Amino acid sequence: MADAAELLRQSVLDSPVVMKGEYAYFVHPLTDGVPRQSAELLAAARDLISAQVDWDQVDLILGIEAMG
């Protein structure tokens, strides 16, 4: 898990920051869909989330549809 966490951490640190007025907005494949995300980054995020969720307590997973 340490490798997955480091990959995700580094990807956020390497993300470009765009100013929207006075708000600093980072552009990242997991939050914005651009730039295109790698399978490795997506797997790291999946593994980190999966390890921290008590799946026996989950009844429903909802997600926002965007840019469809």
Side-chain angles (χ1 to χ4, degrees):
M1 282 301 164
D3 290 340
E6 179 56 27
L7 177 64
L8 185 57
R9 184 182 85 68
Q10 193 59 51
S11 73
V12 171
L13 291 174
D14 293 342
S15 294
V17 176
V18 177
M19 295 303 294
K20 298 285 188 177
E22 295 182 22
Y23 178 76
Y25 179 81
F26 75 99
V27 181
H28 191 272
L30 292 175
T31 58
D32 301 298
V34 293
R36 188 175 189 164
Q37 68 184 328
S38 68
E40 183 182 31
L41 180 60
L42 188 57
R46 176 206 61 209
D47 292 347
L48 289 166
I49 292 169
S50 181
Q52 296 182 34
V53 173
D54 179 1
W55 293 106
D56 292 332
Q57 299 298 314
V58 175
D59 294 323
L60 183 67
I61 299 173
L62 296 176
I64 298 170
E65 187 285 323
M67 297 182 285

